[in-house]
């Protein structure tokens, strides 16, 4: 591994902390931290669960997704989002289309870059959200730093027209394929949180593989209870 | 520094960057009958190198390596480029995801000076 110089450290600190001043989203920002990589011939199905518990509420969200790569550098995913609302009813909440684009070849430059584009519409309401994200990943020996910075615009019948930003970070140690511990950090306008995360991969024959990840994120900006547990399972074939 | 000097500085930086890319050692691998040739390839420690893999088979293959943290699809009868490193000395395994029992190989990262020479043929 190339020596980790003071210059590299300064660059890294600037990259990590500069977006934090920009992040001011007001929704729940804990979700997947996206990698900037795309493989051609890839089809995937995904399930995500988010359980957000505070001293006053316990909301639950699930996402079901189907994705397919459209080219060597672009993958599209379609999501159906289900949530448990304040009255404990669990039902269909929203639809979402997501495009992820790999901008640079992995390892070619100092860091790897990608972009994410999302459009979401609520199921029974005329509420919309569009998002654009910059995806970043840099390897340091057996560890990888992944960062996402999103710009989000939302509008609709129950929403004020509003621009928000979110920042997500994951620092992962690639220990063994089946178990890779990490630290995750999230920030938005009303939320800053961090916590341990774990991910792993199990290979079947050919391109078939199962990826899993889980994280337990605690809010850092409040003294009251505010925890989020997230799980994601992805089957690629 | 006026705008012309800035422009020249930018151009020189760009040329230097291009020259750096051009100097990046290149190593060639071949994939024939679901086997990598050579199965073991030596690259220099502490340098980023370019692996060019030519798939001679009529089916796609996916270069996969947890050690190198790389996954790359190589289409039939096509070449794919994988950038590796800089890495410390050691042995880094890789395999073809479609034929994991046959298509196996190792990147050996070494301090030996003869590993510095790029543009090597596979055979």
């Amino acid at each position: 591994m190339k020596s980790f110089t003071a210059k590299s450290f300064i660059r890294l600190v600037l990259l990590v902390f500069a977006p934090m001043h920009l992040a001011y989203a007001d929704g729940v920002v804990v979700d997947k931290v996206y990698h900037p990589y795309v493989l051609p011939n890839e089809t995937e199905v995904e399930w995500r669960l988010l359980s957000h518990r505070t001293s006053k509420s316990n909301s639950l969200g699930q996402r079901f997704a189907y994705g397919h790569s459209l080219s060597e550098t672009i993958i599209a995913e379609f999501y159906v989002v289900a949530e448990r609302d304040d009255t404990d009813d669990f039902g269909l909440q929203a639809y979402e289309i997501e495009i992820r684009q790999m901008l640079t070849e992995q390892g070619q430059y100092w860091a790897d870059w990608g972009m994410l584009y999302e459009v979401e519409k609520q199921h029974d309401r005329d509420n919309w959200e569009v998002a654009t994200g910059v995806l970043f990943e840099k390897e340091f020996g057996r560890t990888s730093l992944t960062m996402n910075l999103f710009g989000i615009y939302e509008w609709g019948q129950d929403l004020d027209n509003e621009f928000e930003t979110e920042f997500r970070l994951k620092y992962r140690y690639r220990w063994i394929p089946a178990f890779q511990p990490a630290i995750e950090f999230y920030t938005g306008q009303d939320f800053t949180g961090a916590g341990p995360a774990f991910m792993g991969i199990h290979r079947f024959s050919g391109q078939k593989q199962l990826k899993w990840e889980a994280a337990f994120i605690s809010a850092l900006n409040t003294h009251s209870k505010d925890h989020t547990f997230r799980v994601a399972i992805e089957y690629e074939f | 520094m006026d705008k012309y000097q800035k422009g020249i500085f930018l151009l020189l930086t760009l040329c230097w960057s291009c020259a750096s890319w051009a100097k990046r050692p290149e190593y060639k691998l071949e994939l024939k009958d679901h086997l990598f040739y050579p199965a073991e390839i030596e690259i220099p420690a502490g340098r980023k190198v370019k692996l060019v893999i030519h798939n001679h088979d009529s089916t796609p293959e996916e270069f996969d390596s947890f050690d190198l943290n790389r996954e790359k699809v190589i289409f039939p009868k096509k070449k794919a480029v994988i950038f590796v490193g800089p890495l410390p000395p050691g042995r880094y395994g890789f395999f073809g995801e479609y034929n994991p029992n046959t298509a196996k190989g190792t990147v050996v990262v070494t301090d030996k000076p003869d590993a510095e020479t790029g543009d090597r043929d596979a055979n």
Side-chain angles (χ1 to χ4, degrees):
Chain A
M1 181 194 158
K2 197 177 172 182
S3 62
F4 191 51
T5 61
K7 196 175 161 189
S8 304
F9 179 74
I10 291 165
R11 267 199 290 199
L12 180 64
V13 168
L14 285 172
L15 269 165
V16 170
F17 289 99
M20 290 180 190
H21 298 290
L22 301 169
Y24 52 95
D26 55 8
V28 176
V29 298
V30 177
D31 197 0
K32 187 173 177 172
V33 181
Y34 288 89
H35 301 277
Y37 312 117
V38 172
L39 280 174
N41 297 345
E42 190 176 286
T43 304
E44 63 186 45
V45 285
E46 188 183 351
W47 170 72
R48 288 188 216 171
L49 179 139
L50 272 168
S51 174
H52 179 221
R53 183 179 282 271
T54 65
S55 49
K56 292 176 187 167
S57 67
N58 179 18
S59 59
L60 189 73
Q62 293 191 64
R63 284 168 174 257
F64 303 90
Y66 171 83
H68 186 72
S69 53
L70 306 176
S71 73
E72 288 185 53
T73 56
I74 293 175
I75 186 166
E77 275 195 70
F78 177 73
Y79 290 86
V80 173
V81 183
E83 282 179 7
R84 185 171 68 201
D85 62 20
D86 296 336
T87 57
D88 275 353
D89 285 332
F90 191 86
L92 187 58
Q93 180 74 17
Y95 312 102
E96 185 183 304
I97 291 176
E98 176 189 288
I99 303 282
R100 190 156 44 89
Q101 183 181 16
M102 185 167 83
L103 294 179
T104 58
E105 193 63 48
Q106 189 176 10
Q108 185 171 9
Y109 302 107
W110 183 79
D112 308 321
W113 298 89
M115 290 294 294
L116 191 94
Y117 312 96
E118 283 177 0
V119 179
E120 183 181 308
K121 185 196 175 294
Q122 285 193 359
H123 168 56
D124 52 357
R125 289 179 182 159
D126 194 22
N127 292 333
W128 293 78
E129 184 180 294
V130 290
T132 305
V134 178
L135 316 179
F136 165 96
E137 188 153 322
K138 169 73 181 164
E139 275 180 51
F140 299 99
R142 287 185 76 85
T143 64
S144 300
L145 177 70
T146 312
M147 295 191 290
N148 301 164
L149 179 65
F150 293 97
I152 301 154
Y153 187 72
E154 57 184 32
W155 74 96
Q157 65 183 89
D158 305 324
L159 296 171
D160 293 329
N161 295 9
E162 190 179 22
F163 179 74
E164 305 172 347
T165 59
E166 287 180 9
F167 176 70
R168 305 174 188 176
L169 178 152
K170 176 190 279 190
Y171 188 56
R172 171 171 58 119
Y173 175 57
R174 298 189 311 276
W175 184 31
I176 52 172
F179 191 75
Q180 299 166 54
I183 292 169
E184 291 185 357
F185 174 87
Y186 298 85
T187 188
Q189 184 180 19
D190 299 326
F191 180 85
T192 298
F198 307 92
M199 61 176 290
I201 184 166
H202 180 76
R203 292 184 191 288
F204 303 98
S205 62
Q207 235 181 347
K208 292 172 188 157
Q209 55 188 27
L210 187 76
K211 289 179 179 172
W212 64 272
E213 49 185 81
F216 187 78
I217 307 300
S218 301
L220 301 173
N221 58 335
T222 173
H223 293 295
S224 58
K225 185 177 183 178
D226 188 334
H227 304 307
T228 304
F229 176 65
R230 74 170 194 89
V231 177
I233 295 173
E234 191 179 306
Y235 181 64
E236 288 179 11
F237 55 101
Chain B
M1 193 186 280
D2 64 24
K3 64 180 179 181
Y4 297 108
Q5 284 173 315
K6 278 182 188 166
I8 290 164
F9 179 73
L10 194 68
L11 194 66
L12 286 172
T13 307
L14 195 67
C15 291
W16 179 82
S17 305
C18 291
S20 304
W21 293 338
K23 280 193 293 185
R24 188 166 291 163
E26 189 173 309
Y27 294 81
K28 293 187 174 96
L29 281 168
E30 313 262 338
L31 189 65
K32 289 176 197 162
D33 301 323
H34 313 305
L35 293 166
F36 284 107
Y37 295 98
E40 196 167 292
I41 191 159
E42 271 191 14
I43 68 167
R47 286 198 71 180
K48 186 172 283 191
V49 306
K50 192 174 167 181
L51 301 181
V52 181
I53 307 175
H54 190 177
N55 183 3
H56 295 278
D57 291 335
S58 53
T59 53
E61 187 53 277
E62 190 173 320
F63 178 96
D64 198 307
S65 172
F66 181 76
D67 295 346
L68 295 165
N69 191 31
R70 293 290 182 273
E71 273 184 292
K72 179 88 180 177
V73 172
I74 316 157
F75 291 103
K77 311 290 181 194
K78 300 272 182 194
K79 287 179 184 174
V81 172
I82 298 169
F83 294 91
V84 173
L87 292 162
R91 295 176 68 83
Y92 300 81
F94 64 84
F95 65 95
E97 210 168 84
Y98 292 123
N99 302 280
N101 296 325
T102 55
K104 289 185 206 172
T106 310
V107 171
V108 181
V109 181
T110 175
D111 284 328
K112 281 195 261 177
D114 59 346
E116 287 283 338
T117 316
D119 296 322
R120 292 178 168 200
D121 287 327
N123 297 306

